Amino acid sequence: MRRTRTTPTGPGRTTNGGMVGALALAAALTLGACSAQEGPEGAGPGVDAATATAGGGATGTAEDGSSVDAAGTTVDPDELPDPVAEVEGEEISRSDFVEVFEQQRDAARQQATAAGSPVDEAALRDGVLESLVASELLRQEGERLGLEADAEEVDAELASLAEQNGLGSADELVAALGEQGLPEEQVREEMGRLLLIEEIVAERGGVEPPTEQELQDYYAELTDGMDGAAATDGAEGVPPFEDVRDVLEQQLTEQRENEALTTILDELEADAEITRHL
C-alpha cells in the first residue's frame, strides 16, 4: 500500500505489509463480523469481548436502565466524568468514550449470551479507556512524524480487504459491514487509523522480515505433534512447507509488527502526560 507523507519530501511508496490485514480483522473490518458465526469476532482494538466476560453470576438491569455486571457494578454513561481522560492536553470526551463503550458492550453481551457468562463491565470500561488513550497517542505521534492516511489509501485497502473476502468492491464490503451496525464513516475512520499505525511502525524502524530458517522453524513448531507425532514435511494431514510458506511469513511478520507496536505505545505512554478520570 502507498504511504503518503504530509511533508514536501518523500514520495509515496508501495508495500504489501500484513499488519493492516491482521488489525483490520481484530477491528471487525472483515466479513468475519458479517458471517453467521455465533457472536462477534472481537470487541475491537485493545478490547477483547472475551475479556469482558467472566464465569458465574449473570448480568442484570438497574432501575435507571443501565446494566449491572455480576459484581453489581453499574456503568451509567451519564455519571461518567467529561472528559474521561487527557493525553498531552488533548481531551477524550465522554461522548466519544460512550459511543465506543456502548458498541463494545453490545458485542460483549452477545458473546456472553452465547457463552453463558456475564459481562464484566468494569473491565470493559477500563479496556475501552486504554484503547482510546492508545489511539490518541498514535494520532499525536503520526502528526509529529507528518504521516497521514488519505482517502485514496483507505479506498485501496478496503478494496483489497473486500477481494480477500470474496466481494467485488469496497462499497460491497462497507455495505456488508453496515448491515452489522458499522456505519461507513466509522469503517473508513478505523481503516485510516490502522493504516496510520502501519506507517508509524515503518517510520520508527519497521520490522525485519523472517528468514527462511525462521520460517522452517515456525513450520516445525506448528506441525510438531500433528497426528500424535512430530510431523514431517508433506506427511499425511500436514501441508507441505512450500504450500503454506507465504501464510507463515505473513503470520510471523504480523507478530513482529504487533510486538513493535506494543513497544512504541509503551514508549509513547512513558513520555506522555496522561490523566485518566475513570
Side-chain angles (χ1 to χ4, degrees), residues 215-265:
L215 292 175
Q216 290 278 2
D217 292 344
Y218 188 43
Y219 174 83
E221 177 185 344
L222 292 177
T223 57
D224 184 34
M226 280 190 173
D227 297 328
T232 58
D233 189 353
E236 183 178 357
V238 180
F241 171 76
E242 289 303 323
D243 287 358
V244 296
R245 182 198 175 283
D246 291 346
V247 174
L248 298 178
E249 182 177 27
Q250 181 178 347
Q251 289 178 350
L252 278 181
T253 300
E254 288 173 355
Q255 286 180 18
R256 293 180 179 185
E257 287 173 329
N258 288 324
E259 289 168 359
L261 176 59
T262 298
T263 299
I264 289 171
L265 280 170

Side-chain angles (χ1 to χ4, degrees), residues 21-273:
L23 292 179
L25 284 169
L29 294 183
T30 68
L31 291 187
C34 306
S35 68
Q37 296 178 11
E38 291 186 358
E41 283 291 300
V47 186
D48 184 350
T51 304
T53 62
T59 56
T61 303
E63 292 181 0
D64 61 0
S66 58
S67 58
V68 182
D69 67 14
T73 301
T74 299
V75 179
D76 184 350
D78 292 335
E79 294 183 356
L80 296 175
D82 191 17
V84 295
E86 289 120 17
V87 181
E88 289 291 294
E90 294 291 331
E91 295 183 349
I92 298 176
S93 70
R94 178 175 61 194
S95 61
D96 286 346
F97 174 87
V98 170
E99 180 180 2
V100 177
F101 174 79
E102 290 184 340
Q103 191 174 69
Q104 304 307 336
R105 183 178 61 188
D106 290 345
R109 282 175 173 172
Q110 292 178 39
Q111 186 164 331
T113 299
S117 301
V119 176
D120 183 350
E121 290 199 9
L124 184 61
R125 175 200 61 204
D126 294 345
V128 168
L129 180 63
E130 291 310 310
S131 71
L132 290 174
V133 168
S135 292
E136 179 59 24
L137 285 169
L138 290 167
R139 185 197 68 78
Q140 293 181 15
E141 179 66 0
E143 188 175 87
R144 185 186 72 81
L145 294 171
L147 301 172
E148 68 174 1
D150 60 27
E152 183 181 345
E153 291 175 294
V154 170
D155 287 341
E157 193 62 30
L158 287 174
S160 174
L161 205 54
E163 183 179 357
Q164 293 172 30
N165 287 276
L167 294 177
S169 68
D171 289 341
E172 288 186 29
L173 176 65
V174 170
L177 291 168
E179 293 175 359
Q180 299 300 311
L182 291 171
E184 180 176 355
E185 181 180 2
Q186 181 182 343
V187 170
R188 293 186 178 278
E189 285 180 356
E190 181 64 16
M191 182 56 73
R193 188 184 71 85
L194 297 172
L195 286 165
L196 178 61
I197 288 173
E198 187 180 70
E199 293 179 10
I200 290 172
V201 171
E203 186 71 16
R204 291 183 54 137
V207 298
E208 291 293 327
T211 65
E212 284 299 313
Q213 184 60 54
E214 288 171 332
L215 292 175
Q216 290 278 2
D217 292 344
Y218 188 43
Y219 174 83
E221 177 185 344
L222 292 177
T223 57
D224 184 34
M226 280 190 173
D227 297 328
T232 58
D233 189 353
E236 183 178 357
V238 180
F241 171 76
E242 289 303 323
D243 287 358
V244 296
R245 182 198 175 283
D246 291 346
V247 174
L248 298 178
E249 182 177 27
Q250 181 178 347
Q251 289 178 350
L252 278 181
T253 300
E254 288 173 355
Q255 286 180 18
R256 293 180 179 185
E257 287 173 329
N258 288 324
E259 289 168 359
L261 176 59
T262 298
T263 299
I264 289 171
L265 280 170
D266 288 343
E267 293 172 353
L268 292 176
E269 182 165 356
D271 293 337
E273 182 177 343

Side-chain angles (χ1 to χ4, degrees), residues 1-26:
M1 97 201 34
R2 184 171 56 85
R3 295 194 177 93
T4 303
R5 299 177 180 168
T6 56
T7 48
T9 58
R13 50 200 170 103
T14 302
T15 181
N16 290 317
M19 172 178 263
V20 167
L23 292 179
L25 284 169

